[in-house]
Amino acid sequence: MPPDSEKTPARLENRLLAALPTRDRRLILSRSEPVELRRGEVISEPGERIRNAYFPTDCFLSLVTPPADHSGLEVRLVGNEGMIGTPLILGVEITQIRTFVQGAGPAWRLSSEGFHEALRQSEALEARLHCYLDVLMNQCTQLLACTRFHLVEARLARWLLMSQDRAHSDHFHVTHEILALLLGVRRVGVTKAASALQARELIHYRRGEITVLNRAGLQGTACGCYGAAEALYEQVLG
Amino acid sequence: MPPDSEKTPARLENRLLAALPTRDRRLILSRSEPVELRRGEVISEPGERIRNAYFPTDCFLSLVTPPADHSGLEVRLVGNEGMIGTPLILGVEITQIRTFVQGAGPAWRLSSEGFHEALRQSEALEARLHCYLDVLMNQCTQLLACTRFHLVEARLARWLLMSQDRAHSDHFHVTHEILALLLGVRRVGVTKAASALQARELIHYRRGEITVLNRAGLQGTACGCYGAAEALYEQVLG
DNA sequence: CAGCGTCTGTTCGCTAACACACAAAGCCAT
DNA sequence: ATGGCTTTGTGTGTTAGCGAACAGACGCTG
């Protein structure tokens, strides 16, 4: 279902938690506190210890490999369908990637200790997060092929669609510069692809403010990876 | 340590299992049977149910996204440092990728039921496999950047080194055609890169038989991803 | 030893994306 | 309103890798 034109005012839930039995959901929410994440806020850097887990409710974040011998590359976009701090599920407390906030908004936060307690006490939570991990691994291999074979314009269209889903709005903030970092291409490449999309009236943008005008058109331009990744999630966790 | 010039005759163990306490190792080995995998043998296809888990002892396998709108692409190379059937660790019984044998040799095989029993009864096994999963996820993101940014010649050199490690020999079988499928490039691209390496006397090949002549030289040509991926494994599981 | 399939080498034209450099336009603050 | 910063647009030349097609070399098998 395509999001409404305006941000839905209704309170959003995190989809990993919403599907749990009431008891289990209470168990984890009782250990959580609501926080507001600001755009650009950095949640983790490679090599750091993971202090908190986050369950986004109406915000979304990018996980990227930081610029090293290359320019940087997004490996995952997480909204209220996922969580931040997945290594904790496996008992690992060190992250290898940078996480930063793409779209500002509320999330549940709990300490790694609190998360572990909840995980030990709720089999339903553990089972669901295990399924989530499997989806992530498969989405990662999909992203691998996508990044290798598909053109920048298609990959950009895909990113915009995913972002629209996670923003729950057809409007969100992101500059060409940032997109270049996420897609692993030059900023100029983004400008070229984006203006092509704008020329076809699929999107409109202006100084970092992007609006999706024609979602169906974007889907036609995006590679099949868009639908495939979402379908996999729905099939396992939906 | 570089492998010997000839295949080591000593019986190899699977490194995930070898590090377990004796009790736990017995637990899982008692449910396993030794099998010989033949080169080219297909272990799984996308969408299939996972019937068995495998712990390679002296063989190695490729996991690939099958050719779809593109040519195919290797997502993982597994030898006696890993296992086949990782979704089972998360309680998932469906695979999304093709698995086939790259280098023939012995492995332990056990049914998915047997694997689950062992997993339930051995916390040490579960903990170790969880760590393995975390390593895999990180290696996948690394592969993503590598595939995006590095040149074919460097990626080929990396693959040869990884393959040499897993073959425990400086000689193994693989054609340019297969390599093209694994690296996600045209066969011609492999031929070009491989002849460059051969011209510099780093390798020798002839009709699918490849020999590594100068490992240090190959390492110089390969991208840093080679060392990084191995180091991550050693750090967590070594 | 004839024949066929497999494997490797080479060529030609093409294009997506690169690197570098600079211009213009919008927005904010002093 | 002016100067400075951020964001977007454009232009030139280069390159790695693509697609398609073909030729030679090796090795097995009948």
Side-chain angles (χ1 to χ4, degrees):
Chain A
M1 58 186 164
D4 293 329
S5 170
E6 282 306 313
K7 193 130 180 169
T8 61
R11 180 155 217 80
L12 285 166
E13 290 202 63
N14 180 280
R15 293 183 59 193
L16 289 176
L17 303 183
L20 293 175
T22 311
R23 187 198 80 91
D24 302 79
R25 192 166 64 248
R26 290 233 179 95
L27 194 78
I28 185 159
L29 287 185
S30 70
R31 289 181 165 74
S32 307
E33 55 178 341
V35 291
E36 282 283 324
L37 300 182
R38 296 173 316 252
R39 179 159 57 80
E41 193 174 344
V42 173
I43 303 293
S44 77
E45 289 282 358
E48 276 184 9
R49 204 175 140 268
I50 304 175
R51 280 184 294 271
N52 297 293
Y54 293 82
F55 289 88
T57 51
D58 195 14
C59 60
F60 59 108
L61 305 89
S62 288
L63 311 201
V64 299
T65 66
D69 68 331
H70 54 266
S71 68
L73 189 53
E74 184 181 67
V75 297
R76 196 180 307 163
L77 187 61
V78 179
N80 79 326
E81 88 297 337
M83 75 166 278
I84 301 296
T86 50
L88 294 176
I89 303 171
L90 297 170
V92 174
E93 305 243 325
I94 305 284
T95 182
Q96 303 291 340
I97 45 178
R98 168 179 295 169
T99 307
F100 68 95
V101 180
Q102 208 46 255
W108 294 107
R109 178 177 73 189
L110 64 174
S111 69
S112 60
E113 295 79 17
F115 179 76
H116 277 131
E117 284 172 28
L119 205 57
R120 266 201 310 277
Q121 291 172 37
S122 166
E123 292 209 0
L125 176 64
E126 186 179 38
R128 191 159 170 81
L129 292 183
H130 278 186
C131 287
Y132 177 56
L133 276 187
D134 184 64
V135 169
L136 288 186
M137 296 197 75
N138 286 311
Q139 286 183 349
C140 191
T141 74
Q142 173 135 43
L143 182 62
L144 182 62
C146 180
T147 304
R148 172 67 189 83
F149 295 110
H150 297 150
L151 302 187
V152 172
E153 188 173 322
R155 296 208 288 133
L156 174 60
R158 182 194 181 194
W159 194 93
L160 294 173
L161 288 168
M162 292 180 58
S163 195
Q164 185 185 16
D165 292 345
R166 282 154 184 77
H168 305 104
S169 163
D170 56 9
H171 175 266
F172 44 88
H173 180 103
V174 65
T175 66
H176 294 185
E177 187 81 42
I178 302 282
L179 282 168
L181 206 79
L182 301 178
L183 298 178
V185 298
R186 292 164 314 147
R187 195 224 77 216
V188 182
V190 174
T191 298
K192 208 172 145 220
S195 29
L197 295 179
Q198 180 158 258
R200 292 161 56 200
E201 304 203 332
L202 303 181
I203 63 173
H204 173 77
Y205 62 88
R206 184 163 167 273
R207 293 187 72 74
E209 300 302 319
I210 295 200
T211 306
V212 173
L213 301 178
N214 180 346
R215 188 177 162 87
L218 262 194
Q219 284 179 343
T221 304
C223 44
C225 302
Y226 172 67
E230 317 315 282
L232 184 61
Y233 181 95
E234 294 303 331
Q235 181 190 325
V236 178
L237 296 161
Chain B
M1 56 187 165
D4 292 328
S5 169
E6 282 306 310
K7 193 127 177 171
T8 61
R11 180 155 218 81
L12 286 166
E13 290 202 63
N14 178 281
R15 292 182 60 193
L16 289 176
L17 304 183
L20 293 175
T22 311
R23 186 197 83 90
D24 302 78
R25 192 166 64 248
R26 290 233 179 95
L27 195 80
I28 185 160
L29 287 184
S30 70
R31 289 180 165 76
S32 308
E33 56 179 341
V35 290
E36 282 283 325
L37 300 182
R38 297 174 314 253
R39 180 159 58 80
E41 193 174 344
V42 174
I43 302 294
S44 78
E45 289 283 356
E48 277 185 10
R49 203 176 141 269
I50 304 175
R51 281 185 293 273
N52 297 292
Y54 295 82
F55 289 88
T57 51
D58 195 13
C59 60
F60 59 107
L61 305 89
S62 287
L63 311 201
V64 299
T65 66
D69 67 331
H70 54 266
S71 68
L73 190 52
E74 185 180 67
V75 298
R76 199 181 304 163
L77 187 60
V78 178
N80 78 326
E81 87 297 339
M83 76 166 276
I84 301 295
T86 49
L88 295 176
I89 303 172
L90 298 170
V92 174
E93 304 243 326
I94 305 283
T95 181
Q96 304 291 342
I97 45 177
R98 169 178 293 166
T99 308
F100 68 96
V101 180
Q102 207 49 254
W108 294 107
R109 178 177 72 190
L110 64 174
S111 69
S112 60
E113 295 81 16
F115 179 75
H116 278 132
E117 284 171 29
L119 206 56
R120 265 201 311 277
Q121 292 173 34
S122 166
E123 292 209 0
L125 177 65
E126 186 180 38
R128 192 159 169 82
L129 292 183
H130 277 186
C131 287
Y132 177 56
L133 276 187
D134 184 64
V135 169
L136 288 186
M137 297 196 75
N138 285 312
Q139 286 183 350
C140 192
T141 73
Q142 173 135 45
L143 182 62
L144 181 63
C146 180
T147 304
R148 172 67 190 84
F149 295 111
H150 296 151
L151 302 186
V152 172
E153 189 173 320
R155 296 207 288 135
L156 174 60
R158 181 193 182 195
W159 194 93
L160 294 173
L161 289 168
M162 292 181 58
S163 195
Q164 185 186 16
D165 293 344
R166 283 155 184 77
H168 305 103
S169 164
D170 55 9
H171 174 265
F172 45 87
H173 180 103
V174 66
T175 67
H176 293 185
E177 186 81 42
I178 302 283
L179 282 169
L181 206 79
L182 301 178
L183 298 178
V185 298
R186 293 166 315 150
R187 197 225 75 215
V188 183
V190 174
T191 298
K192 208 171 145 221
S195 28
L197 295 180
Q198 180 158 259
R200 291 161 57 201
E201 303 204 332
L202 302 180
I203 63 173
H204 173 77
Y205 63 88
R206 183 165 168 271
R207 293 187 73 74
E209 300 302 319
I210 295 200
T211 307
V212 173
L213 300 178
N214 180 347
R215 187 176 165 86
L218 262 193
Q219 284 180 344
T221 304
C223 44
C225 302
Y226 172 67
E230 317 314 282
L232 185 61
Y233 181 95
E234 294 303 331
Q235 182 190 325
V236 178
L237 296 160

